Each structure stands twice: as C-alpha cells, then as structure tokens.
Amino acid sequence: LPDDIWRHVDVVTPNETEATVMTGVEVTDVASAERAGRWFLERGVGAAVVTLAGAGALLVSPDGARLVAPFPVEAVDTTAAGDAFSGYLGAALAEGATLDEAVVRAAAAGALAVTVRGASPSLPTRERVHAFLAERPAPEIVDGSRA
C-alpha cells in the first residue's frame, strides 16, 4: 500500500504474517510485534493491534504497547478467528468501548470463533461474546515491554 494511506487509518489489525509483509519486520514474538506496530504509528496510524494467535494480541498506541493475553479455549478451526477479532473490535469501538476494552472483547470473539468448525458458523453473536466474557475472568493486560 502507498505510505500516504496510513494517515487515514485509525486502527490496523494485522496478524503476524500480514504485519511482516506490510512492515518488513519479521514478527516472531512480542518485541518484533511491537516494532511492527510502531512502523504503523510512524506512518500516521492511530493504533495497531497485531494478533499473535495463541499468544494473544499486542495493542500498540501512542500510550505504549499492551499485550492482551489469550482466552484459553480448545481450538478446532482457526479459519475465521481474524475476521471475528477484527469485526468485533470494530463493533465494540462503534458501541463506545475504549480501545483496550474493544481488544479484550475482540479477543473473546476470536477465541469463540476457533471453537467451531467453518468460517461463517464460527462467527459469534454479540450475546455469545458477552456471555463468554461474563463466565471468565478478564484476560491479563501486560505492558508490552515486560511481555
């Protein structure tokens, strides 16, 4: 993508592979995910959320980097996990959630998605995500530099 597009992006949500391709930073761990996230911020993106599969999601914003731990679930199909994550992140932000709250809700949606086979059938409803969150303790959010 042309560099001038990034200043029009509020939040970008690449997975490790996508972040590597877009930024040129090989994302293999939290530290490299933070470097990739900062690449986006340097180009004008408001915040980057690099999803790290079973390791959680790293939120990189002007306020710093925060790792949202994953919800432990038994994964059967990861096909739509990223779609569930990104869609729910956008929905939570549209409802007025803070970015940190939205990432936690998105992580719950992604976790639920991997427990069901198939792309469309795995996408959880708002009610299912809220019930899932009510049944479990909130995931740990750790300063990215300490992760």
Side-chain angles (χ1 to χ4, degrees):
L1 296 171
D3 272 351
D4 64 340
I5 201 160
W6 296 116
R7 62 187 169 92
H8 302 288
V9 176
D10 293 323
V11 180
V12 64
T13 60
N15 63 30
E16 299 128 309
T17 303
E18 294 162 342
T20 296
V21 169
M22 287 189 265
T23 68
V25 174
E26 186 176 355
V27 177
T28 59
D29 56 16
V30 172
S32 56
E34 182 173 354
R35 286 193 302 279
R38 297 225 174 275
W39 183 95
F40 290 108
L41 269 60
E42 290 164 3
R43 282 153 184 78
V45 174
V49 183
V50 181
T51 59
L52 303 168
L58 185 70
L59 167 58
V60 183
S61 73
D63 297 330
R66 296 171 300 289
L67 180 67
V68 177
F71 287 95
V73 294
E74 175 111 10
V76 296
D77 185 356
T78 62
T79 303
D83 296 323
F85 184 97
S86 293
Y88 211 89
L89 180 74
L93 290 171
E95 287 181 339
T98 67
L99 191 51
D100 284 1
E101 292 167 340
V103 172
V104 168
R105 293 181 197 176
L112 283 167
V114 303
T115 66
V116 178
R117 289 202 188 282
S120 294
S122 72
L123 297 174
T125 63
R126 180 180 187 277
E127 292 75 22
R128 189 155 175 242
V129 170
H130 283 269
F132 180 84
L133 287 166
E135 296 167 357
R136 288 162 180 73
E140 184 179 13
I141 299 177
V142 180
D143 181 324
S145 61
R146 295 183 318 171

